[in-house]
Amino acid sequence: MNEMPEEMITFFNTRAEIYDAQQIKNIDGGKKCYHEIAQYIPDHAKTLLDLGCGTGLELESIFKRFPEIDVTGIDLADKMLEKLAAKYSRYSINLINGNYLSVDMGAGKYDAAISVMSFHHFTHSQKLKLYTNICRSLKSNGVFIECDYMVGSNDSGIEAHFLSEREKLLTDHNLTEDLYHYDIPFTIEHEVSLLTESGFQSVKKVWGVENTIMLLATKQEKK
Ligand SMILES: C[S@@+](CC[C@H](N)C(=O)[O-])C[C@H]1O[C@@H](n2cnc3c(N)ncnc32)[C@H](O)[C@@H]1O
């Protein structure tokens, strides 16, 4: 039988102390994505939503370019958020210690939303609802930048394999659909179609190194 997956919150809380160094070592492209992301945020941006912000690795380049920006960060793991708060105490940040699958993100509030290395744990139906809420939270012409662990090759067999393994894990351990740390990388094609279905007008890949992929999605302008 496969090993019982760790609860998401425990997984990240117990690794918060060593997270930054490990993350940069472990992901394809290392720290490059954290430098790259800031350039896709529109020049006029004043408000930013960061989903699964963790210790805020992605915020360093963003605060360098936008020192006055108001950031709302959502994360389940309080220990990760403590690290973020200590690093960026001189910036405008509102931290929400909660689950972005259920937190109310509001409507028409943000110029940009980002998520780095957090959404590859969820299923199609969870993502469809999440992306719809992100789209709703943005102002018209707002952008969503998703940088995540995806299947760089568009081989849908890999995605199907991870999804069926996840089902097996849930059954074997008699678990309900809850927040466990289990990776399900989707193909780029599939991510693009979920984002489009959720109301984004244009979705394109803007950057990638192997399985670390960055997509830029724009909310439709009001007619
Ligand atoms: C791999 S870390 C990424 C952190 C940061 N964005 C980065 O790239 O370094 C994933 C983060 O997503 C958070 N997370 C996972 N699922 C979540 C959920 N449903 N709601 C809020 N945060 C979540 C975890 O607690 C963790 O801090």
Side-chain angles (χ1 to χ4, degrees):
M1 196 193 274
N2 289 319
E3 232 177 87
M4 166 96 174
E6 244 178 294
E7 281 189 28
M8 190 84 76
I9 184 165
T10 314
F11 183 93
F12 286 104
N13 268 342
T14 53
R15 288 164 178 82
E17 282 302 324
I18 53 158
Y19 174 82
D20 284 6
Q22 287 296 319
Q23 176 72 351
I24 284 167
K25 227 190 305 170
N26 290 341
I27 64 172
D28 292 338
K31 59 169 78 153
K32 283 191 193 143
C33 71
Y34 295 109
H35 293 309
E36 193 74 13
I37 194 161
Q39 69 180 281
Y40 299 107
I41 296 175
D43 291 341
H44 66 270
K46 296 207 166 9
T47 48
L48 175 82
L49 176 64
D50 186 353
L51 299 125
C53 53
T55 62
L57 281 175
E58 57 271 22
L59 293 177
E60 190 177 333
S61 67
I62 292 172
F63 282 133
K64 217 173 257 173
R65 192 174 157 218
F66 300 93
E68 306 296 329
I69 200 162
D70 288 323
V71 173
T72 299
I74 308 177
D75 204 287
L76 279 178
D78 52 308
K79 300 285 178 227
M80 297 285 275
L81 291 179
E82 279 171 19
K83 291 273 163 201
L84 186 157
K87 276 192 224 173
Y88 302 115
S89 57
R90 63 200 173 94
Y91 296 102
S92 170
I93 308 180
N94 168 34
L95 292 176
I96 300 171
N97 185 198
N99 176 0
Y100 50 56
L101 300 175
S102 53
V103 164
D104 180 4
M105 301 174 202
K109 281 174 70 172
Y110 301 101
D111 296 306
I114 58 173
S115 184
V116 183
M117 292 295 165
S118 189
F119 288 175
H120 57 273
H121 304 111
F122 302 106
T123 61
H124 302 163
S125 57
Q126 286 171 315
K127 281 190 177 181
L128 202 52
K129 195 169 159 222
L130 177 61
Y131 294 166
T132 303
N133 287 336
I134 294 171
C135 192
R136 184 170 160 267
S137 78
L138 289 171
K139 296 179 188 169
S140 81
N141 285 328
V143 299
F144 171 47
I145 305 150
E146 181 189 16
C147 180
D148 206 357
Y149 168 36
M150 296 180 202
V151 180
S153 65
N154 264 350
D155 176 350
S156 56
I158 300 176
E159 177 182 320
H161 165 78
F162 280 104
L163 276 166
S164 79
E165 284 296 300
R166 176 184 180 276
E167 282 310 304
K168 196 166 169 307
L169 266 180
L170 294 180
T171 314
D172 284 355
H173 297 284
N174 208 11
L175 303 172
T176 51
E177 289 280 335
D178 222 329
L179 295 169
Y180 293 99
H181 185 263
Y182 180 75
D183 290 352
I184 323 168
F186 282 11
T187 60
I188 299 170
E189 204 175 37
H190 206 159
E191 279 295 326
V192 169
S193 77
L194 281 169
L195 286 160
T196 309
E197 208 182 320
S198 306
F200 287 98
Q201 183 184 35
S202 78
V203 185
K204 57 183 181 193
K205 176 182 165 189
V206 288
W207 182 87
V209 172
E210 293 172 53
N211 295 314
T212 302
I213 307 292
M214 197 177 293
L215 303 178
L216 175 66
T218 309
K219 180 171 175 170
Q220 190 154 20
E221 199 176 343
K222 256 195 210 139
K223 296 244 164 82

